[in-house]
Amino acid sequence: MTTTRRRDAAATREAILRAGVEGFTRHGYDGVGVREIAQSAGVTAMLVNRYFGSKEGLFAEVVEASMADRTVLTDDPATLARDVAAALVRRTAPHADGLDPFLLMLRSAPNPRAAEILRAGIEKHVEAHLLDIAPELRGTDRAAMVLSLVAGFWLMRKMIGSTALNGADERTLARTLEQLFTLLMHPG
Amino acid sequence: MTTTRRRDAAATREAILRAGVEGFTRHGYDGVGVREIAQSAGVTAMLVNRYFGSKEGLFAEVVEASMADRTVLTDDPATLARDVAAALVRRTAPHADGLDPFLLMLRSAPNPRAAEILRAGIEKHVEAHLLDIAPELRGTDRAAMVLSLVAGFWLMRKMIGSTALNGADERTLARTLEQLFTLLMHPG
DNA sequence: GTCTATATAGCGATAGAC
DNA sequence: GTCTATCGCTATATAGAC
C-alpha cells in the first residue's frame, strides 16, 4: 500500500477544522495564525491551505460548523424567554469557558471579511432557527433585537469582563434578561 | 532659536492622538498599525512610541479621550429611554460613520490587553455617567444591561451588518429599543 | 524634535522533495 | 499525504544622525 501510515485525509481535515473552531473562537480571526491552528491539529501550516484553500476558507467552514449545531436555544416556545435567559447566564458565568458561536462572532467581527461570513452564517442558522421556534417574530425587528441583546451580554460579561455583571447575583441577572426577552417575544 | 519649524511637541502629540482615535475606532486595536496612525497624523511611526511609549500606551490615551466626552447620552432623566433609543438608531444608521466609543470598544475588545483598558474606561466614564443621570440604577445589574444592549445593537447593525436591522423602519426600531430601555430604567 | 535605517519577529501562502 | 524550506510582506520597537 502507498497510503499514509498515521492519518488519512478526512481525519486530518477534521482535526484542522476542530482546531480552527477552537482557535478562532478563543482568539478571533485576526488573533490566531494558521501556524497555531495547524499545531493544535498536529500538522503543519501548509495543510491548512491544502485542505481549505486559505485562512479565510477555513474560517468560513468553521463558522458553518459552529453555527449549525444548536446549543443555546431550546425548542419549547412556551418557556423560550426563561430558557434563553437561564442558558445565557449559565454559559457566560465567570468560570465557564465553552466555545460558543457568539464568542466566535464577537471576536472575529472586527475583520471586515470575517464579518460578512459571520453575517451570512448568523442569518442562515441562528436567526432562522430562532424564527422557527418563535414564528411570531417573523417580519419584525425583534428577532434581530434578541440576537443583539444576547451578543451584547456575551460581550460585556465575558470579553470586557464587566465588574457589575460578574459580581451580580445570577438569579437577578436571569430575571432581568427574562423580562427583556419576554418583552421582545411576547409584546402583547 | 533651536525650536522646530513646522510643529511643536504638543501639536504633534495631539495630532497623533486624534489619528489614534480615528484609526482604532475604524479598524480596532489589532486592525491598525502604528505606521498607519503615524501617517494619518503626518509624522513617522517613531514619534508614536516617542510620545506614548508604545501602541498600547497610545490606545490607553485614546480610550480615555474617546470615552471622556459624552455624545450619546443626554442629561434629562425623564426622557432618557426615548433619547437613548433615538440617538442609538440615528448613530447606527447605514450611512452614518461617526467615531463612536462603542465602535472603539467592539472592534478592540478581542485583544485581551485592549479589553482590560476598555473595561476600566467603560466603568470609569460611560457607566459612571449613566449612573449619574439615572441614580436609581445604582446597585442593580440594570446599568450594565443598558450598556450590553447598546453595544449589541451597535454590533449587529454596524459591524455584522444585519439585514433585518438595516432594512427595518427606523421608527419601529426606536420604539422597540425605547421599550427595552424603559423596562431597565423604570422597572416599576 | 524629527528623521532614516534597522533589528527582530511574525504573518499567509507556495515550491518542490519524498 | 505530508514534509522542509522559503518567498514576500508587515508588524512593533529602537539606534543613531542632524
Side-chain angles (χ1 to χ4, degrees):
Chain A
M1 312 265 211
T2 59
T3 55
T4 159
R5 284 177 289 263
R6 303 182 50 197
R7 284 208 183 88
D8 62 319
T12 297
R13 223 191 108 98
E14 188 63 24
I16 295 171
L17 186 62
R18 277 190 285 105
V21 170
E22 170 138 358
F24 285 134
T25 304
R26 286 205 200 288
H27 308 294
Y29 185 83
D30 286 331
V32 69
V34 295
R35 280 174 173 80
E36 188 178 338
I37 292 172
Q39 188 171 18
S40 294
V43 298
T44 63
M46 198 226 97
L47 290 188
V48 174
N49 288 322
R50 179 91 150 93
Y51 285 113
F52 297 92
S54 66
K55 183 185 186 180
E56 192 177 325
L58 172 61
F59 182 75
E61 290 215 29
V62 161
V63 168
E64 192 71 17
S66 183
M67 294 188 174
D69 65 313
R70 283 76 192 267
T71 56
V72 172
L73 300 177
T74 60
D75 275 19
D76 185 356
T79 60
L80 189 56
R82 171 171 303 183
D83 291 344
V84 172
L88 184 52
V89 170
R90 176 169 39 84
R91 293 168 70 90
T92 56
H95 293 306
D97 66 332
L99 299 177
D100 195 278
F102 278 96
L103 275 179
L104 175 65
M105 173 174 73
L106 285 160
R107 295 198 167 121
S108 300
N111 184 292
R113 306 173 89 155
E116 170 54 26
I117 294 168
L118 288 163
R119 186 198 56 74
I122 280 274
E123 294 181 354
K124 178 181 173 191
H125 290 112
V126 186
E127 189 171 310
H129 184 215
L130 178 59
L131 290 175
D132 279 347
I133 306 175
E136 72 273 17
L137 298 186
R138 202 174 295 272
T140 74
D141 55 1
R142 286 181 273 115
M145 214 69 93
V146 169
L147 299 186
S148 296
L149 182 58
V150 172
F153 189 81
W154 267 100
L155 174 87
M156 293 304 293
R157 195 167 192 214
K158 290 295 275 186
M159 290 181 61
I160 298 297
S162 159
T163 305
L165 292 184
N166 282 316
D169 174 69
E170 300 214 334
R171 278 164 305 196
T172 309
L173 232 40
R175 195 159 45 236
T176 305
L177 283 169
E178 183 186 346
Q179 290 176 332
L180 293 168
F181 287 132
T182 300
L183 180 62
L184 290 170
M185 293 169 177
H186 313 289
Chain B
M1 313 263 214
T2 58
T3 55
T4 159
R5 285 175 290 263
R6 305 181 50 197
R7 284 208 183 88
D8 62 319
T12 298
R13 222 192 107 98
E14 187 63 25
I16 294 172
L17 187 62
R18 276 191 287 104
V21 170
E22 171 138 357
F24 285 133
T25 303
R26 287 205 198 288
H27 309 293
Y29 186 83
D30 286 331
V32 68
V34 295
R35 278 177 175 78
E36 190 177 338
I37 292 171
Q39 189 171 19
S40 293
V43 298
T44 64
M46 199 226 95
L47 289 189
V48 175
N49 290 320
R50 179 90 151 89
Y51 285 113
F52 297 92
S54 65
K55 183 185 186 182
E56 191 177 325
L58 171 61
F59 182 75
E61 291 215 29
V62 162
V63 168
E64 192 72 18
S66 184
M67 295 189 173
D69 65 313
R70 284 76 191 267
T71 56
V72 171
L73 300 176
T74 60
D75 277 17
D76 184 356
T79 60
L80 189 56
R82 171 171 301 182
D83 291 343
V84 172
L88 185 52
V89 170
R90 177 170 38 83
R91 294 168 70 89
T92 56
H95 294 306
D97 66 331
L99 300 177
D100 195 277
F102 278 95
L103 274 179
L104 174 65
M105 173 175 72
L106 286 161
R107 294 196 167 122
S108 301
N111 184 291
R113 306 172 90 156
E116 169 54 27
I117 295 168
L118 288 163
R119 187 199 56 74
I122 281 275
E123 294 181 353
K124 178 181 173 190
H125 291 112
V126 186
E127 189 172 310
H129 185 214
L130 178 59
L131 289 174
D132 279 347
I133 306 174
E136 72 273 17
L137 297 186
R138 201 174 298 271
T140 74
D141 55 1
R142 287 180 273 116
M145 214 69 94
V146 168
L147 299 186
S148 297
L149 183 57
V150 172
F153 189 81
W154 268 100
L155 174 86
M156 293 304 294
R157 196 169 193 212
K158 289 296 274 187
M159 290 182 60
I160 298 296
S162 159
T163 306
L165 291 185
N166 281 316
D169 175 68
E170 301 214 335
R171 279 164 305 197
T172 309
L173 232 40
R175 195 158 46 235
T176 304
L177 283 169
E178 183 187 345
Q179 290 176 332
L180 292 168
F181 287 132
T182 300
L183 179 61
L184 290 170
M185 294 169 176
H186 313 290

